Each structure stands twice: as structure tokens, then as C-alpha cells.
Amino acid sequence: MSLLEIQNLKTYFHTRAGTTRAVDDVSFSLEKGEIVGVVGESGSGKSVTCHSILGLLPQPPAKIEGGVVTFDGDELLDMPPPLLRAIRGKRISMVFQDPMSCLNPYLTILDQVAEPILIHEEVTKEEAEQRAIEMMKKVGIRDAEKRARSYPHEFSGGMRQRAMIAMALVTNPDVLLADEPTTALDVTVQARILRLLRDLRDDLGVGVIFVSHDLGVIAEVADRVVVMYQGKVVEQGEVLSIFENPSHPYVKGLLACRPTFETKFRILPTVDDFLDTEEAEDGSITIIERPDVGKRLADLERESETNEADGSDLPDVLLEVTDLKVHFSSGGGFFGKPHEVVKAVDGVNLTARRGQTLGLVGESGCGKTTIGRAILRLVKPTGGSILYDGTKLLEVPPNESLSYRKRMQIIFQDPYASLNPRLTIEQALIEPMTVHGLGADRHERRDRVVALLEEVGLSASHLLRYPHEFSGGQRQRLCVARALALEPEFIVCDECVSAMDVSVQAQVLNLLRELQEKRDLTYLFISHDLSVVKFMSDEVAVMEAGQIVEQGSAEELYRNPKKTYTQELLDAVPRGDLESLQARFKG
Amino acid sequence: MNNSTNSDAQREVGNSLWRDAFLRMRKNRLALVSFWLVVLMLAFCFVVAWFCPNPDKIDLDNKFSGPSASHLLGTDQLGRDIFSRTLFGGQISLLVGFVATTVAIGIGIVVGAASGYAGGRTDAIIMRSVDTLFAIPFLVVVIVLQVVIAEWTKNASGWIVENWDWDKKLTSRIANIIPLFIALGLFGWLTLARIVRAQVLSLKEQEFVEAAKALGYTRMRILFRHIIPNTLGPTVVYATLTVPGFIMYEATLSYLGLGVEAPNSSWGILIRDGANFLETEPQLLIIPGLFFSLTLLALNFLGDGLRDALDPKASKD
Amino acid sequence: MLRFIANRFLQGIIVLIALYTITFFLIKAMPGDPFTGEKNIAEETKELMREKYGLNDSVFTQYFLYLKNVFTEGSLGISTSKAHSVNEMIGQSFPVSCVLGITALLIAIAVGVPLGVASAVRQNSWIDYSSMAWAMIGICVPAFTVGPILQIFLAMKLPLFNVAGWSSPRDVVLPAITLGLVTTAYIARLTRSGMLEILSQDYIRTAHAKGLPISRVVMKHALRGGLLPAVAYIGPAFAALISGSFIVETIFQVPGMGQHFVNATKARDPFLLQGVVLFFGLLIVIMNLAADILTGLLNPRVRLTQE
């Protein structure tokens, strides 16, 4: 018998809008000392499954409609609350996604790590704290004695997540439920946490259910994998066999649509290329594989090959950034103390060629976003020069700057925050044309808006809607359309696919690609995701602490990084390709 | 505000945030009842009142009479119709509440938005001034301001009373309470300015505002088209909660004998006068007190309901 | 911490001077002076009085003379209507208002906080609905209605307390309840919304995942953060409570400080009004500082350095 067994779990959400079957007949199990990866996109029900096990969902609106969860012979779903509380945090612990919001900001780290022992065991406070500090050392918090009495905000993101893990493991639980534990972290930190989890599994023999949206991460850490889609398990099995030989069309699509270092496609296949849905007469939906998927893949591959041929002679330089500096002063007010200067960007040189994509990659806080904003003069550079198509941008007088605004645009990370919620799509897209005097009259502008919407894969029927009525991917398309309304030649894409599911990400990346080819656009593609940057870029610049570590052609830089920092970054990326998986299991 | 043209078609297709909020609001029974109660109260005080007996007509033979056909809720110590007096008193109270709130909103939005959008030293100076104004006891300011404004506007209001081709008694009544409106409004904007400023500060960092800058929109366009409309939600909520606050201040001032003066009367005055007969004729306190408290309750519940309806968290489900 | 307090103190002085300036010119903008309205005094006597109180000096001189007296002697001037030192008048009435205000605040906290916490923990239960309905009534029923009602029921029908007066310790109860009612209601509402906000945070879910009993989740993990909005409100509210309320003082005949605000305004008594306004301003500055320090103690993320 398995340590933890989930059978036919059904968790529904009953709201005024109707019933959502968040988890619909899910079954899988976990053995002692095993790591099971649960993977799926947002809304697939993977987190809800996890929370259902420990009864952590707010009820209502959630309601567990059926199923059995057996842990070490006991049924958890019907267990009276006091007994369930004795298991929570003692025998089954949980680690959540965002360690900042999941740690109590009002209590010290030590208080929180020691708390589960104090609650579940008959020990003195000193003893509990001693054990807490031991565990904090074990998860790699240096100077644990000294730092234990700090508050969460005094820890870095990675250290916070280590503290969360220490808190979960301090009672020696049998099962650890980890819900997206590395999603909020930088890749290098993520790599260390993943290694830590594997080591702890080996040392302590704890069984781990590892929930993630990222197949790459799952491939690094899990023994078995459960793939969820729309509340159902579509496929489960050994990691290697699923990556080698997926059987379900959704899983095939998911594996194909993520760009990896080895991706050869110029246009990514999308999940929609693989699966189709068929609605039966009783309203139930069946997923079927598209019959023409093989042909589609072949087409994409052929297209990529033909495109690869050109590129012998380099296009001319459109943008040249020299010694760019952006310094912010913090602190200082009315009776200010001396200002502290933060050198967000400190002497950066970049070159972008017409019709190409320059990728800019780096970890959070390295200043990559600030560069993008400085080039568009959304922040004022402290020094340096920006040469754009032969003009020194920082010396353009204000009354002429409008024409440069027209030529350079930006797309942001959060499509929810990027559109004014009070304007209809029509108003939002017509406004830039009105301001810049594009189009003769209202009718012409409206026609152009419709054309733009169609170009980004939306339609005229969306004109009168408000932003909140669209999905995340659609909103990002709207942002693209708005940027295109001025017919710019240069677009800064600032983490513009980072908040998206892989299947949506693939669609948006494809859209950017197609537009680039059609309109000869130049992109500055800023992202923390090395795989996506590799896929999109002709040239790549790596950034650390306000400075460019190295810049070079994408192929060359990824194959032969010259700087150790670049090498570290590349090593930390969870590949999730067959080669590295086979290496992990066989080598 | 959003729909300048073919609004019918837009309502068909798009659901603006306001409409969404309205739909949510309709499900909140308490807020809905409160809304209709406020409407009913307005209708009673401003329409029904004119069909009631003269509220100032003294009839000493008919003191403290019980409810009858001619006096629906009986009469007071001078034989005046209680129902009629309550409705006319309500006119003043409601006018004070709504007019002073309008004044306060106007000032609050302008000051708050300017402060938040300008930022830096301007912001610091404006906000320190608001802090200072907060330290002045509200009642004192309103009393002093009222006297000062009455002095300044004496000529103007006299002119209005003389030259307005209207019911003389009504215009003199209104002219009498205008200083009170202005005084309340002039000092009631402080909290609102803080709320609007906080909103503007967070909106300023939003990506759609950055996008607007990147698209080359002017500062004025960004402020008036992209920032201020997005502060209206919290503003409306706070305004709804301000109206009862002003009604309460008016009542307190009138109770002190510093607010509305004869020939005007208001709920505050009626309650004060009624308190003298609390033991023997409690209806003199209870009737205006009930109207007063019900209106305040309804406005407060309406504000709470609006806040819940406009809460961005609620819109995610 | 010390630098923070010193800095805020400096800011407080600037606020007080600004406050004085505003009040001074507001009073000067009022028509007439303290003696214009007195019909029983001969014009010559009035003129003498004006001379005595320095009201015939230039506005400039008056402005700086008073400021100088405040700073050098701590003197808030002589009341023109009562012919007493303003310092003495405040010295007599402030202790009374202080006792009344502190009692009112204690009642408000003792009732408001538990009601708010209970409402938030049991959101949408009968406890929630009934305490919030009571809180709303507390906000909507004016003191001048509550006062007389309390007098009738708790002093006349049931002779538990004196109807009015300020002689025995029991006399504090009725005015304190009347005075504290609105504060209670606001504290209950703020505590409820603050607690609801905190209870929806991710770290509360973490606390549940650790297997903590609900009482510990509320008391140890939620309460500190949940009280912050109420603490920020209590600062200035406390200043208002201990500086007296004219209405409550009138109803229960309490010799507190609130009467001075209204009487001084009615009598156009410039020094008394400036004195009590400045004193009130000082209280506000101190209470805001106290609230900030308390917030800093409750919330480790707020560092008490310069702003």
C-alpha cells in the first residue's frame, strides 16, 4: 500500500457564476521517499489537488464532492478537524510558492520555524528552537544561529524559501507537499533549491509531491510525473518514459511548445496544433488528437530550415547604446539624510541591428528592465548616449521627441496592468493614432484598428469590449496591437511572456516572430528565461548587477560562454530535454 | 464617461467596470434596500413635503395632538405639524450633506491628484499642509469659517434674495445656509485628498500609465484620461460615506446653536428641541431621530455596498 | 529611534506654528472683536480693554507677540471673556477631560476590538451581522440623542447613576459611554476589516498548514497585523477624546475642555481659542507620534528612521 493514495478526488467550486470542476476524478499515489511531479498549466487543478489533501481550501466556495485520500491507512477527507490538525505540519507538511507572502512578516524566522515542533510535540521552547536552528543549517541557511531572529523581509528570496522548507521539515514529516516552490525564484537559486530537495529526500526519506507548471523543473527533480489538464489527469508515469514517449496529445503539445536550447523551429508548434475537442451529446468533452499534426510539424520544420539559410551579411545597426548609466537616489525627504545612490544601470553598451532581435537576459534586480525604459526615456538616464538611426536620442529637443516616440514602442510583462481598465479596446487603440495624427478621420482609424486586431489574431467583434473581459494571452495581443498602432520599427519586449502558461507563451512568441518578419521589426527582448531568449534572439547580452557581462551571437554565446557568470546561468537552467533526462537516470 | 458615442451598442457588447460593479451591487440586498431608502427619503423631503401643511404654522390650541387626518404624526409644543417639520428639516440636512460633499470632492480630487502626480517636493509640501489642517478641530474651523464666509457673502446673498424672481422665503433660507455648505466643504476634503493621492501614486506606477508615456501622450492627457477616471471608484465610495458625516456635523452644529438658524430648521434642531420633551412626548425626538438615523444608516450601508462592489478583489472571481 | 522622535518633534513644531498662523488669521478674518457684541459696556471701557489686551496693535505685532509669549514663557494668554489665564483654564479642565477621554477610549477598545475580531473570524455569521449593525447604529445616532436616552433609562427610571454632575467617580460612566460610542463603532469596523485583510493573506494559510489551532492562528498570526488600521485611527481619536466634547459636557454638566472651544468661538475670545487649538494640536502631534511608534513596534517592516 502506498504512503499517500488519492483516489477519484473531486473538488468543485460553487460560485454564483456556476460550478467549476477544479479537480475532476483525480487519482495518483506517492510512495515513501519518492518525488512525484504534478504538472499542468494554470487552472489545471494541480494546486487545488494539493490543498484538498490537507483540507486547506476555503469551504465554501470549494467543496470536496467525492473521492478518498488515504495516508498511512487513515482517510483524510472525512477526518475530524482536530485529528487532521495533528497530521498537518507534523506528518504532512507544505511549502508554498511565494515565500515572501507565505511567511508571517510580523514574526521572526525562528518563531515560525520552531512553531510546528512546539505545537505538535511536548518539548521546551529552547529545545524546539535548538532543533529549528539545526534544520535551518541543514537546508543551507548560513549563520543560522545569528540570523534566526531576523524577520522575513530581512532575508533574500532564496533564503526565505529555505526557511519555508526548514519549517516544513522540522517535524520530520513523511510527506512534503511542495506547491510551485521555485516559481518565484531566480534560476540559479532555483537550481540550488531543487538540489536541496533531492538531497533532503535522500537523507530523510520524505515523500514529495512537487507541483509545478514547468516541465523543465519537473524533469530535474521528479521520479514520476502526473500531467493534469482541466481538472483531470491526462497522463502519468515514469518521467523518462513520458518525456521519451508521450501518448496523450496534450502532453505531446506541451512538450513541443516549450522552447529549449535545442529548439530548431522558427515558429513553435502550439498545443492547439496537437489536440482538438469533441463535444458529445450529453455535453461532456473528449480530447482527440488532430489527424494532421504530423504534417503541421513537418511544415514548421521545413520552414525553419529555409529561413536558416540567409543571414550571411549583417543588417545595419539601428540602435547603439554607449556607456548608459541610470542611477536612482533613494531616501532623503524634507529633512533628508544624504541620498543613497542605487546604480541600476552602470555603464552599459549594447547594439541592436535592424530587423533582428537583441536578447537581454539576467536575474531579477540586475537592471535589465531599467535599460529598456531608459532607451524609451521612461526613466531619465544619468549619463551615456543612445544613438538611434543616426540620431542622438538624449539630445533631441522635447518638441521633436514625439516623432521618436512613434518609432519606438514597449510591451510590458503584466498584460492585466498594461491596459487602462476604463477604456474599450477601440478607444485604447484609436487614442495613439489621434495623438499622433495618424489616419484621416475616425472611420479610417477605426478601419486601421480592425486591421490591427486581425493582425494579432483578434477580430472586429472585440472592439467594444473592456480589457477585463479578455484572457491574459489575448490582453498581451492587445498590447502588441496598441504598440503597432503607431507603426514603430523598434519594440522593447519587457518580460512580455513571463507571466504566461507555456501554451499561451508559444502563441505570443509566434505572433512576435511573424510580425517581425512581416514588418521588419527590431526587438529588444528582455527576459529572465534563457530558453525563451535563446529561441527569440539573434544576439544575446547577459547582464549582472547593472553591467553587461558579455554580448554575442545567440548560438555562439550559448555554446561557448566566455564568462563564468554566463556559464553558471546556463548550467542552472532546467533543460527538460531528453538528453539531460537520460543523463540523469542512466549516467 | 467612457461612452462618448453609440452608447447603446457598447452596452450590448462591453461590460465596463462600472456596469460589473452595478451587477454585483444588485446582488447585495442590504445595499439595494439602502439605495431605495435614500431615494425615498429624497422624494419625501423634496417632493412630498410641498403637499404637507405649512411647517411653521403655529396653532397653540392644538399642542401635542396625536396623529390625525390633518396632522399625520401629530403636532409639537407649538401645535406645528411634526411630519411636515421633519420633511422640511430633512431638506436642509440632505442639502447640506450633498452640497458640502460635492464641494469637498471637487477640492479633494484636484489637490490629491495634483499632489500625487507632481510628486517630490510639491507632494511633500501639500501633504504636510493637509496634516496641519487635520490638527485643527473641525468644529472650530467650521464655526469660524461660517462666520467669515457669511460676512464676505453678505452682499451677494442679499442681492440674490432681492433680485431672484423666486419664492422670497425659500431664497432667503438658502442664502442663510450657503456659508455652512462652503465651510463644511472647505474643510471636508482632507481625507479625500489623501485617498485620491494614494490612488494616484499607485496608478502612476501601473504599466498602462507607462505605456501611455511611451505612446507620447501629454501629461495632462495621462492625468485626466488615464489616471483620474481610475480613482473614481474609491472616490465615489468615500463620497457616499462623507454625506452622512456632513449631515451629522450639521446636526451637531445646529444642536450647539451654531449651524442652521431660524427660519430654517433641520433634523439636528428638531432633535435638540425634541430632547426637551423626551420624558413626556418622546415622539418629538423619535420621529426626526428616526428619519435622521435611517438616512445615515442607509447612506453608510450604501457606501459599504459600493466599496464591496468596486473592490478589485471581488472582480476576480 | 531617537533621531526619528527628534525629527518628528521638529516637524511637530512646524505643524504647530502653521496651525497657529491659520487660526490667528481666521480669527482676525471674523467680523468684530471680543467686545463689539457687549452691549452693557461703555465704548470707552471697551477701548481700554482693547488697549489692555493689545488688540489695537498692528496685526503683525499681535501675531509675533503671542508667539513670543508661547515660546518664552509658555503662556497662552489671558481669556478676554473670562479674564482668566488660558493656561489655568486648561489646567483646570484638561484633567477632567482626560479622565473622561481615557475611560471612553478604554471602553471603546475593550468593546470594539473583540467585536471586530469576532466579526472577522466568523465572517457572515450572526455575530458579524449583529455587531456590525450595532457599530453602524453607533456611528449614525448622535451623542445628543444617546446622552438623554441614557439619562432617562439609567439615571431616572433605574437610579443607577446621577443624571448629571461631576462629583463622584460613578459620574464618569454615562458621559464616557456616550463619548466613546462612535469610537467603539469605528474601532470595531476597522478591526474587522483589518483582520479580514490579514486572514486572507497567504501566511495564514501557512499557519493552518502547520496544524495550528484556530485560536493560535488568530491570536499569534493575525492579530498584530489586523490591529494596525485601528491603531492608526486611535492616535488622533484619542487626542480628540481627551480634549473634550462640548455636547457631552453640556448634557452631563461636566467641567471639561470642550466648552472652551465653543464658548471661545462664540465670544470671539482670540487668546482662549488660540490657546485651546494649540493645545489640541500639541495633543494630536504627540498622539500621532505615539501611534507611529506603536505601529513600528507591531510591524517589524516599518523601520523608525526618517521618512
Side-chain angles (χ1 to χ4, degrees), chain A residues 253-313:
Chain A
L254 209 54
L255 282 167
C257 75
R258 5 184 329 268
T260 63
F261 289 178
E262 277 68 39
T263 299
K264 289 283 185 287
F265 296 112
R266 272 191 67 76
I267 295 294
L268 288 166
T270 62
V271 171
D272 291 340
D273 291 334
F274 287 84
L275 57 87
D276 209 349
T277 50
E278 209 169 59
E279 200 174 330
E281 268 174 31
D282 64 342
S284 66
I285 290 167
T286 332
I287 297 162
I288 52 163
E289 185 159 2
R290 276 181 188 273
D292 57 346
V293 58
K295 184 176 167 292
R296 167 83 179 145
L297 289 180
D299 283 352
L300 288 175
E301 215 155 321
R302 201 172 50 243
E303 203 178 311
S304 309
E305 275 161 20
T306 49
N307 261 311
E308 223 161 90
D310 62 2
S312 48
D313 46 293

Side-chain angles (χ1 to χ4, degrees), chain A residues 417-428:
Chain A
S418 299
L419 293 162
N420 185 343
R422 309 237 171 248
L423 296 185
T424 62
I425 299 318
E426 184 181 10
Q427 290 169 321

Side-chain angles (χ1 to χ4, degrees), chain C residues 63-233:
Chain C
Y63 176 83
F64 282 107
L65 198 64
Y66 187 84
L67 205 57
K68 191 188 124 216
N69 286 341
V70 171
F71 272 103
T72 53
E73 301 163 28
S75 159
L76 297 169
I78 309 282
S79 159
T80 55
S81 55
K82 299 271 160 47
H84 269 300
S85 140
V86 173
N87 292 49
E88 266 177 43
M89 291 171 73
I90 293 177
Q92 281 164 7
S93 55
F94 179 61
V96 175
S97 289
C98 218
V99 169
L100 188 55
I102 289 173
T103 319
L105 186 72
L106 289 180
I107 295 175
I109 293 175
V111 178
V113 170
L115 274 188
V117 171
S119 301
V121 173
R122 298 250 171 276
Q123 195 192 0
N124 297 331
S125 69
W126 67 268
I127 297 182
D128 185 20
Y129 289 132
S130 56
S131 43
M132 283 310 114
W134 276 108
M136 199 59 105
I137 291 170
I139 291 172
C140 294
V141 179
F144 45 85
T145 314
V146 179
I149 290 174
L150 286 180
Q151 282 176 325
I152 288 190
F153 286 102
L154 296 180
M156 290 153 88
K157 299 230 159 120
L158 279 176
L160 296 173
F161 301 98
N162 293 328
V163 174
W166 190 259
S167 42
S168 78
R170 274 210 306 191
D171 289 340
V172 175
V173 179
L174 291 188
I177 292 176
T178 314
L179 185 60
L181 195 63
V182 177
T183 317
T184 314
Y186 273 114
I187 289 180
R189 281 169 62 89
L190 286 170
T191 309
R192 175 178 181 269
S193 61
M195 286 295 286
L196 280 179
E197 171 82 36
I198 297 290
L199 286 174
S200 70
Q201 296 288 316
D202 288 345
Y203 60 81
I204 296 301
R205 192 184 54 190
T206 313
H208 283 299
K210 285 200 239 179
L212 308 187
I214 290 166
S215 58
R216 191 178 165 99
V217 174
V218 172
M219 299 306 287
K220 182 149 186 184
H221 286 264
L223 196 58
R224 271 173 83 170
L227 283 183
L228 286 176
V231 167
Y233 164 76

Side-chain angles (χ1 to χ4, degrees), chain A residues 373 422 427 431 436 468, chain B residues 2 15 208 210 215 221:
Chain A
R373 287 175 199 218
R422 309 237 171 248
Q427 290 169 321
E431 191 174 12
H436 288 269
H468 67 278
Chain B
N2 288 330
N15 262 349
F208 73 83
E210 292 247 25
L215 289 164
R221 176 181 276 270

